[in-house]
Amino acid sequence: MGPIEPLERKYWETQNNSQSSFKRLEYAPMTHLFQPYTFSSKGNLVRLQLDNKLVVAPMCQYSAENGAASDWHLIHWANLLNSGASMVIIEATAVTPEGRITPACLGLWDDTTEQALGSLMARARRLAPGNVKVCIQLAHAGRKASSALPWRGGQLLSPEQGGWTPLGPSAIAQKHGEQTPQEMSLQDMQHVQDAFVLAAKRALAIGIDAIELHAAHGYLLHEFLSPIANQRSDNYGGSLENRMRFPLAVFEAVRQVTNGVLGVRVSASDWVDNGLTPEEVAVFAQRLKEKDCDYVHVSSGGVASNQVIPNQPLYQVPFARLIKNESKLPTIAVGLITQPAQAESILTNGDADMIALARAFLFNPRWGWHAAAELGGVVQANERYWRCLPSEARTIFGDTRIAQR
C-alpha cells in the first residue's frame, strides 16, 4: 500500500481578506465533500440520505453518571450537530455496565440510560439545522474496560479503586503486569450479544438514525478478531474464520432488529508483528457485506500496548482504499485528516466514500463551515447564525435571507 495519490487537479487558492481565516478557491469545481450521500439496501431501497459526505467520528467524553448522559453531553452534541457535518456519531456507548471503558463512560443498557440519552439528544437536535442525522456507536470495552479517566492516568482500576474484572476472549492482559481479564464463556458471549441487540432496540426507540458496532481500537469485538488478544482453542479462536465468528454473530443479531443503516468500525491493522492485517480485515468486510452491512469505518490499532503507529497525515486512508476495493463496501476514512483539501482529495481519488473527523471538530466545532468556504460547498445552519458569515464565506449557507426593520 503506497501513499495517497495526489490530487488530479490543482486548486488555486486566494486570500480575499488578509484578516480572515477562510480561504476561497479561485477555481471552485463541484466539491465531492459537499455532495449528498445515500445509503441503500440490497434491494436499492433508500435507508438514509445525508446532505454531504462529512461525518463526526465518535469521541468518548467520560462525562456520564452511572452510564447516563449528562448536561455535558447536551452542549457537546448541540455543538457537533451545528458543525456542518451531515451525520454525528455518538461516542462509544456501552451495552452493559462492565462493558464501559471507564466508570464515567456512556451506556445504553436500561430504562434510566435510555431516558437520559433520549431526552438530552432530543433537546440537542431541536437546536440543530433540520437534516443532520445521528448515529450511535454501540460498544463493549472487553479487556480494556475498568480503566481510569485519561486525565487520571487511564490505567486499569482494581475493584478497590471503583473498577471491576474485565472480560476478554482470552485471559491475556492488555499490558504486561496487569491483572488478566476473565476469559469469556459461551454464556458470557451470548449475554453480550443479547446486550448489543437490546441496546440497538433502545437506540431505535429514541429516534437514532443509524447504528455503528465498535470492532476497533482494542475493544471486545476487535479483541476477538485479533490473534494478539484472542488465543482461544475453541470455535472462536485460531483461524480467521473462527476469530470472525463472534463479531459476525453480533452483527447478524443486531441486523435482525433493524432495517436501517448498520455499519462497523474496524481496526485495519494492529501495528505489531503477527497481529490482525489489512487483508484479513478486508475479508471480514466481505463477510459483513454478505450480511447486509452498510459501511465500514476504517481506523487502526488499539489492541497491543507495543504498537508502533506512523502518526502522519492520512496514514489510515490506504486501509480504507484496500477494504473498499476488496469488499465493495462503502468506507469512511478517518485519522489525521485535518484540512479540507485532504478530505476532498480522498474522495476525488475514490479512496473512500465519506470522511470522518474527530478531534478536529473539538478544536474547531465549525470545521464544516470552514471547509465549505474553502471548497465552494454549502452546509446547513441554524437560522440564528445566518448573519454571522464574513463576505468571503457568504454563500456557504445557500440562499438564505434575513431582514430587520
Side-chain angles (χ1 to χ4, degrees):
M1 292 172 292
I4 303 305
E5 303 279 340
L7 271 172
E8 296 178 357
R9 57 186 179 224
K10 182 179 180 182
Y11 292 153
W12 291 271
E13 295 178 340
T14 60
Q15 194 86 20
N16 288 339
N17 184 334
S18 62
Q19 302 301 313
S20 172
S21 61
F22 289 108
K23 292 182 178 180
R24 287 288 292 163
L25 292 174
E26 183 179 308
Y27 162 59
M30 185 65 75
T31 172
H32 291 78
L33 186 61
F34 291 99
Q35 289 299 297
Y37 188 83
T38 300
F39 291 103
S40 299
S41 68
K42 287 183 176 180
N44 290 321
L45 296 176
V46 173
R47 280 183 166 150
L48 193 67
Q49 292 180 312
L50 303 180
D51 285 344
N52 58 51
K53 298 173 184 175
L54 179 59
V55 175
V56 178
M59 292 173 280
C60 291
Q61 295 300 293
Y62 312 104
S63 298
E65 300 168 3
N66 297 317
S70 68
D71 288 346
W72 176 261
H73 289 96
L74 174 60
I75 190 171
H76 175 65
W77 294 336
N79 237 339
L80 297 179
L81 289 167
N82 282 280
S83 66
S86 63
M87 185 166 73
V88 174
I89 306 178
I90 299 172
E91 66 194 84
T93 304
V95 299
T96 66
E98 66 273 12
R100 292 172 293 169
I101 304 167
T102 77
C105 281
L106 191 64
L108 186 57
W109 59 69
D110 60 13
D111 291 348
T112 299
T113 52
E114 178 184 339
Q115 194 280 329
L117 200 159
S119 173
L120 288 170
M121 178 53 74
R123 292 175 63 190
R125 296 185 85 163
R126 286 196 292 270
L127 304 175
N131 201 37
V132 183
K133 304 302 183 185
V134 175
C135 177
I136 190 169
Q137 185 184 75
L138 298 180
H140 190 294
R143 68 178 187 172
K144 292 178 75 173
S146 187
S147 298
L149 297 173
W151 48 89
R152 294 180 181 168
Q155 301 307 300
L156 179 66
L157 293 173
S158 67
E160 293 74 26
Q161 295 170 311
W164 55 92
T165 300
L167 299 173
S170 301
I172 301 172
Q174 169 73 18
K175 295 179 66 176
H176 179 71
E178 284 186 348
Q179 178 185 348
T180 58
Q182 175 184 320
E183 181 170 317
M184 295 177 72
S185 67
L186 297 182
Q187 291 78 11
D188 292 330
M189 293 162 62
Q190 186 63 55
H191 172 70
V192 168
Q193 179 176 311
D194 291 345
F196 270 96
V197 171
L198 290 173
K201 289 180 177 179
R202 290 182 183 278
L204 296 172
I206 59 176
I208 299 297
D209 301 300
I211 295 171
E212 178 176 285
L213 303 183
H214 200 353
H217 300 165
Y219 300 121
L220 184 66
L221 298 184
H222 177 197
E223 291 167 15
F224 268 90
L225 289 169
S226 172
I228 299 299
N230 182 354
Q231 297 181 18
R232 298 174 71 97
S233 58
D234 62 5
N235 290 336
Y236 294 91
S239 67
L240 176 62
E241 187 68 25
N242 282 356
R243 287 183 278 121
M244 292 191 298
R245 195 180 307 277
F246 181 60
L248 289 173
V250 172
F251 180 89
E252 285 186 282
V254 175
R255 175 48 86 196
Q256 289 296 313
V257 299
T258 177
N259 291 318
V261 170
L262 179 60
V264 178
R265 189 111 188 246
V266 296
S267 275
S269 172
D270 286 342
W271 296 110
V272 292
D273 292 338
N274 303 313
L276 187 66
T277 68
E279 292 75 18
E280 288 179 316
V281 177
V283 173
F284 179 54
Q286 291 169 357
R287 297 292 299 277
L288 288 170
K289 180 178 174 63
E290 294 168 2
K291 299 179 186 303
D292 200 16
C293 182
D294 289 288
Y295 70 87
V296 282
H297 188 170
V298 184
S299 189
S300 68
V303 83
S305 60
N306 61 333
Q307 65 186 9
V308 180
I309 296 178
N311 284 317
Q312 58 191 28
L314 315 186
Y315 73 102
Q316 293 177 155
V317 175
F319 299 146
R321 179 173 65 228
L322 171 72
I323 291 169
K324 176 182 177 179
N325 290 341
E326 292 295 319
S327 70
K328 311 306 179 187
L329 259 180
T331 59
I332 301 177
V334 68
L336 287 183
I337 304 166
T338 59
Q339 302 301 318
Q342 294 172 337
E344 186 70 11
S345 73
I346 294 164
L347 298 174
T348 299
N349 295 332
D351 294 324
D353 299 276
M354 289 166 284
I355 303 295
L357 282 72
R359 299 176 196 185
F361 276 115
L362 295 185
F363 185 73
N364 177 8
R366 303 291 179 264
W367 193 95
W369 297 11
H370 288 248
E374 182 172 324
L375 298 174
V378 174
V379 295
Q380 287 194 74
N382 190 298
E383 56 268 24
R384 294 160 184 82
Y385 284 171
W386 285 357
R387 59 183 177 175
C388 76
L389 297 177
S391 60
E392 63 269 27
R394 64 185 179 276
T395 61
I396 69 167
F397 294 162
D399 186 19
T400 57
R401 302 174 188 275
I402 59 173
Q404 287 180 293
R405 293 178 60 193

